[in-house]
Amino acid sequence: TGMIVRPVIGEWEVPRIERIQTLEGRRIARLPVPGLLGDIQQDLGAASLTVELSGSLHGDESRDDFLQKLRDDFRAGEPVSFAADITNASELDRVLIDELELEEVNDSADGFRYRIVLREYVEPPQPPPPADDLGLDLGADLDDLASLGLDGLNLPDLLGGVPDVANPVP
């Protein structure tokens, strides 16, 4: 048996978790076709894994600690590391803090509930090369063509036999 991994977001060990769940889904495009019974389904691949943690804490110090550590990461919008038993098989290691919910409850004077939604971070692909590089080796050829100008072109000959449309009645 492996060691139990307590959920950790960045450097912060998530305390007093009451519930943790993951949601995995596929992005399916449903394409309606006129006259066809049902829809054509196109699989666009797996969506990012989502992890939701909820629990409760007590005391002003707990709340302040919670807010400072998580809110900073949430506002920065930068990926943070994440580890937990429930995600071991998924190779999830970096997440974005997608939602942060804090609710004061009436169970006790200084109690509050939290809900954190984490979404798997996927590194964006490299951007394509800038368009400036695309025609660099054509520069000289294009300059030669431009220097010819329109002098050498006899436009009526290029157009071929153009019908006379001056008087459309005949």
Side-chain angles (χ1 to χ4, degrees), residues 16-154:
R16 299 197 48 188
I17 295 174
E18 295 167 6
R19 193 169 132 266
I20 181 169
Q21 70 175 19
T22 61
L23 176 65
E24 297 181 62
R26 298 204 69 77
R27 294 170 298 171
I28 306 286
R30 289 171 179 78
L31 309 168
V33 177
L36 181 68
L37 185 62
D39 298 328
I40 292 178
Q41 320 277 327
Q42 183 176 4
D43 184 355
L44 302 177
S48 288
L49 174 71
T50 302
V51 180
E52 185 175 318
L53 304 117
S54 51
S56 60
L57 293 172
H58 297 278
D60 291 339
E61 192 176 317
S62 295
R63 177 173 42 226
D64 294 346
D65 185 47
F66 173 93
L67 287 176
Q68 191 205 337
K69 290 193 172 153
L70 273 186
R71 204 172 255 162
D72 289 348
D73 288 334
F74 174 70
R75 288 197 170 143
E78 295 292 325
V80 293
S81 61
F82 178 70
D85 275 345
I86 198 168
T87 60
N88 273 353
S90 68
E91 297 179 16
L92 177 74
D93 61 345
R94 295 204 304 160
V95 295
L96 290 173
I97 301 171
D98 196 25
E99 292 179 45
L100 201 52
E101 194 175 301
L102 193 62
E103 174 184 33
E104 299 218 23
V105 290
N106 203 15
D107 300 346
S108 64
D110 60 353
F112 65 97
R113 299 187 58 71
Y114 66 83
R115 181 175 154 269
I116 308 164
V117 178
L118 307 172
R119 191 169 307 277
E120 175 183 13
Y121 176 74
V122 177
E123 195 74 43
Q126 290 296 317
D132 297 349
D133 297 347
L134 289 177
L136 286 181
D137 52 345
L138 294 176
D141 295 339
L142 292 175
D143 287 343
D144 291 345
L145 286 173
S147 69
L148 288 176
L150 294 177
D151 299 340
L153 298 179
N154 189 343

